[in-house]
Amino acid sequence: MGVLKKFEQRLEGLVNGTFAKVFKSEVQPVEIAGALQRECDNNATIWNRERTVVPNDFIVELSAPDYDRLAPYSGQLGQELASMVRDYAQQQRYTFMGPIKVHLEKAEDLDTGLYRVRSRTLAGSHSQAPQAQQAGAAPRGGGYGGYGAGAPAQPQQPPAMPSAPPPGGGRGAPAGQARRWVEINGVRHQIAGNSLVLGRSTEADVRIDDPGVSRRHCEIRASDGGAAVQDLGSTNGIVVDGQHTTRATLRDGSRIVVGSTTVIYRQAEG
């Protein structure tokens, strides 16, 4: 059973069904749960072949009407959302640097139905891992970063990380195969499958909060023979290693400029 489906079923059984009223609001808890999953994926930092760290402290900003509907259940909802994040992390083999916390806040600048997710990595007294894995040195806690739906967000300060490429296979890269990832503003995003879509939409695999970036701006496609980037009909196009293009083959260290953001493509043998 999927993590989101289990989350919905747990909510339905809480406090004699009082969450049924909440489900009628413009923003539904399952939408928030999905946004938290994307927040983890978009901010996953590869430390080594056994460890990919994701944020553990989340704030969900809601419009005044949505917040007023959800506030009476914020304590239980926060606990269930934190539990959902933990289940999702176990499924994806992510680890945390501290306890998982989810808070709801009111944002006067948001209209009904819009929300914004901010997150950061905070070190705790012990590391939270899917299999009780103990943490090494804790990263520096960063500022909140925005990857919510339908609203602008603040850029995230990434946790401190090794300057050298991570050793080993990494999540989703079998031994002996090339590992591929992109670096955006110092944060690494692994290319776990054969494709990675970059864009401003929350539906993109990696969301880039840049007004010059289209909702689905470009796609990096990987295969045994290498990798290439393809423009997806964006407004401002792409520049690869200084050349305006619609498609280009990538090498380790290739620089892809989308809007005013530089994306560095990296690869290493497994």
Side-chain angles (χ1 to χ4, degrees):
M1 181 183 299
V3 172
L4 288 181
K5 187 63 177 178
K6 289 170 60 179
F7 170 73
E8 283 187 288
Q9 290 184 353
R10 285 202 303 266
L11 283 189
E12 288 173 0
L14 282 177
V15 288
N16 298 321
T18 56
F19 272 91
K21 292 190 301 182
V22 179
F23 288 153
K24 296 178 182 178
S25 63
E26 291 294 331
V27 174
Q28 298 188 19
V30 70
E31 293 181 70
I32 299 173
L36 293 176
Q37 289 186 5
R38 292 191 295 274
E39 184 78 358
C40 289
D41 293 337
N42 289 342
N43 291 283
T45 302
I46 303 171
W47 280 53
N48 54 48
R49 66 185 304 170
E50 299 296 337
R51 195 151 187 235
T52 299
V53 176
V54 295
N56 60 297
D57 194 75
F58 303 87
I59 286 184
V60 180
E61 295 184 349
L62 301 167
S63 67
D66 285 318
Y67 178 82
D68 291 342
R69 293 186 182 99
L70 290 166
Y73 317 102
S74 60
Q76 290 172 301
L77 182 56
Q79 292 175 8
E80 288 298 331
L81 287 167
S83 178
M84 183 281 305
V85 171
R86 187 177 297 106
D87 290 345
Y88 183 68
Q90 183 173 8
Q91 182 184 85
Q92 301 297 317
R93 297 179 63 189
Y94 292 150
T95 61
F96 304 99
M97 296 306 298
I100 307 167
K101 297 181 180 180
V102 180
H103 313 274
L104 302 184
E105 285 189 0
K106 183 185 298 187
E108 300 295 343
D109 63 321
L110 295 179
D111 294 328
T112 303
L114 299 182
Y115 58 92
R116 182 166 50 220
V117 176
R118 297 184 285 131
S119 68
R120 59 181 176 178
T121 300
L122 291 180
S125 57
H126 61 283
S127 180
Q128 304 294 310
Q131 298 178 349
Q133 175 183 343
Q134 291 300 313
R140 174 172 49 85
Y144 281 105
Y147 289 88
Q154 300 299 317
Q156 183 180 19
Q157 298 296 322
M161 54 191 299
S163 57
R171 186 177 61 87
Q177 293 188 9
R179 293 178 289 109
R180 300 180 174 94
W181 67 95
V182 295
E183 297 179 0
I184 305 174
N185 297 327
V187 179
R188 299 182 183 186
H189 304 277
Q190 186 179 11
I191 305 175
N194 296 324
S195 171
L196 189 77
V197 174
L198 308 177
R200 192 159 44 86
S201 168
T202 55
E203 297 176 359
D205 296 318
V206 176
R207 182 175 180 238
I208 300 175
D209 187 15
D210 180 333
V213 173
S214 298
R215 292 178 60 80
R216 287 172 55 87
H217 198 104
C218 63
E219 179 181 20
I220 296 175
R221 297 177 182 174
S223 65
D224 292 340
V229 60
Q230 175 74 51
D231 181 75
L232 297 178
S234 66
T235 301
N236 296 317
I238 60 175
V239 177
V240 181
D241 294 329
Q243 299 294 320
H244 285 274
T245 184
T246 57
R247 188 182 188 281
T249 300
L250 299 175
R251 57 176 176 77
D252 182 39
S254 286
R255 302 174 76 86
I256 308 164
V257 178
V258 292
S260 60
T261 301
T262 298
V263 179
I264 303 175
Y265 171 79
R266 302 306 303 267
Q267 67 180 36
E269 294 302 319

